[in-house]
Amino acid sequence: MPDLQIIGIPQSAYVWMTRIACAEKGVPYRHVVALPHTPEVDAIHPFGKIPVMRHGDVTLCESRAIISYIDRVFDGPSLLPRDPIAAAQVEQWASIICTTIDPLWLRQYYAAYVLAARGNGVIDRARIEAAIPKMEPQFAVMDRAVAKTGHLVGDSFTLADAYFTPLVFYMNAVPESAALLAKTSHLKAYLDRHIARPSVQQTKPTNLVHEMLR
Ligand SMILES: N[C@@H](CCC(=O)N[C@@H](CS)C(=O)NCC(=O)O)C(=O)O
């Protein structure tokens, strides 16, 4: 079997999700650290986003497509339940996380810290203040979603949790969202539980971009 490469920086939530999926399945891979819009990424993703994957002659982009390929090609436990309804519910949450949660929590809110760290160190407070009132109801929805079992679907760790845990981790890392998280009944406990998972610990990024502001 040729060498499997997961390409992208470890701080990317989508690279992290993909690496959690590999670790859960026990699939060995080489992590090639590369920023978005660099030649090895642009060669695979039409819009230069990470992660991208190489496996012999096979190249793929988009975390969900990469994880789907790895799940079918390699042996090991799947993060998708066998039950079709539960599997569809996992896909439903993964889609909601990518299309609704991530654009607000990471791209709008956490990006204020990333942009400050990469720029002049000044945090755009208006960007944060605009995001927080929109985040509050989403935190409440996600708090309810994990209330019953501590998982998004069923009572075991699925791909939905592999997609969600990195986002909650980032929310706990910066002050306004950490304060929101501290007020939740279940979401902080959800993070504490899943962050301790070996697959999550083994792949957890260090040198977080916002830490450069301290
Ligand atoms: N839908 C993509 C999202 C990937 C994504 O947005 N990656 C970010 C890093 S976390 C990126 O490459 N951003 C650069 C850009 O959007 O130009 C996936 O599931 O892989």
Side-chain angles (χ1 to χ4, degrees), residues 108-183:
Q108 191 176 333
Y109 165 72
Y110 183 72
Y113 289 95
V114 175
L115 293 170
R118 292 201 184 130
N120 59 6
V122 178
I123 298 165
D124 181 350
R125 304 299 322 172
R127 188 179 181 120
I128 291 178
E129 276 150 32
I132 291 292
K134 293 186 270 175
M135 288 164 64
E136 280 173 331
Q138 290 195 354
F139 270 56
V141 167
M142 299 312 286
D143 194 49
R144 282 196 297 277
V146 301
K148 200 165 160 197
T149 66
H151 301 87
L152 281 170
V153 179
D155 58 4
S156 60
F157 187 87
T158 67
L159 191 66
D161 301 306
Y163 266 68
F164 193 39
T165 300
L167 269 65
V168 188
F169 168 83
Y170 277 109
M171 292 305 97
N172 197 40
V174 281
E176 303 80 9
S177 48
L180 287 186
L181 206 52
K183 285 194 277 176

Side-chain angles (χ1 to χ4, degrees), residues 21-101:
C22 288
E24 287 285 337
K25 203 171 170 67
V27 172
Y29 65 93
R30 189 150 61 88
H31 181 198
V32 179
V33 176
L35 284 164
H37 310 290
T38 50
E40 58 255 80
V41 176
D42 288 342
I44 299 174
H45 196 300
F47 298 103
K49 296 190 188 214
I50 53 173
V52 295
M53 182 210 86
R54 259 182 207 285
H55 184 223
D57 294 337
V58 181
T59 57
L60 283 170
C61 62
E62 293 288 308
S63 60
R64 189 65 198 91
I66 294 169
I67 293 167
S68 166
Y69 170 82
I70 291 170
D71 205 20
R72 289 180 165 97
V73 167
F74 292 87
D75 292 334
S78 177
L79 280 178
L80 270 186
R82 290 181 83 91
D83 174 64
I85 298 172
Q89 287 168 339
V90 167
E91 297 292 4
Q92 185 180 271
W93 278 118
S95 179
I96 288 170
I97 289 159
C98 294
T99 60
T100 305
I101 306 287

Side-chain angles (χ1 to χ4, degrees), residues 9-18 102 106-107 162 166-167 170:
I9 53 169
Q11 293 83 1
S12 153
Y14 289 92
V15 172
W16 191 7
M17 295 160 186
T18 306
D102 168 70
L106 290 188
R107 311 296 139 187
L167 269 65
Y170 277 109

